[in-house]
Amino acid sequence: MASETAEKFMQTLQQIESNKNVEPLVSLFTEDAQLSNLATPSPLQGKDGARQFWQKYLSVFQQINSKFTNVVESNGSAVLEWISEGTLTSGEPLKYQGVSIIETVDGKVQRFRTYYDSAAFLPQGAKQ
């Protein structure tokens, strides 16, 4: 069973995917949070960085839905395995999977990193 913080993070991410309002997710981050993924050359910082990160994430999709398949936690860190399905802004369907790591302090996310199959975002003909 996931911790309250991990559970809240997963539920809130699914919420912003459906309503496109990133603020509930931004509120889960600390003032000095760091967020990164394969597309960000250096981590984004703080709540403004969190807002920018999640707005950019949502901007790639017409619609997206993430399903969490496994959670492993220890000492304030959680590894979240997931599969996401949706449609890119180009109209192309997409299904990809990955892992996100959250590190928490006092019930807030201080560090967020995510790793995923970036080849899923290539145009259909280039995926061969």
Side-chain angles (χ1 to χ4, degrees):
M1 185 166 154
S3 69
E4 185 178 330
T5 303
E7 192 63 45
K8 179 80 170 161
F9 179 88
M10 292 184 290
Q11 289 174 357
T12 306
L13 176 62
Q14 291 169 328
Q15 175 188 344
I16 74 155
E17 288 177 337
S18 67
N19 69 20
K20 310 297 187 219
N21 175 13
V22 300
E23 292 309 314
L25 193 56
V26 170
S27 73
L28 300 181
F29 286 82
T30 64
E31 294 295 334
D32 62 345
Q34 292 185 350
L35 299 88
S36 62
N37 66 15
L38 298 172
T40 42
S42 58
L44 296 171
Q45 306 284 328
K47 288 190 181 281
D48 286 340
R51 186 173 295 106
Q52 181 182 352
F53 184 94
W54 294 110
Q55 286 172 338
K56 183 172 181 171
Y57 165 74
L58 292 176
S59 74
V60 176
F61 308 104
Q62 282 182 15
Q63 65 91 22
I64 190 70
N65 180 28
S66 297
K67 231 181 247 178
F68 293 91
T69 58
N70 192 32
V71 178
V72 178
E73 294 186 88
S74 179
N75 299 324
S77 295
V79 177
L80 314 172
E81 295 178 67
W82 46 264
I83 298 172
S84 294
E85 282 189 78
T87 309
L88 294 169
T89 54
S90 66
E92 187 173 338
L94 172 79
K95 182 175 182 178
Y96 72 115
Q97 59 189 1
V99 173
S100 296
I101 302 165
I102 59 173
E103 296 175 21
T104 62
V105 173
D106 298 328
K108 296 275 189 180
V109 178
Q110 186 171 46
R111 192 163 180 222
F112 174 86
R113 297 177 313 281
T114 192
Y115 305 95
Y116 53 89
D117 178 11
S118 59
F121 291 87
L122 293 172
Q124 195 62 38
K127 294 178 186 176
Q128 312 284 328

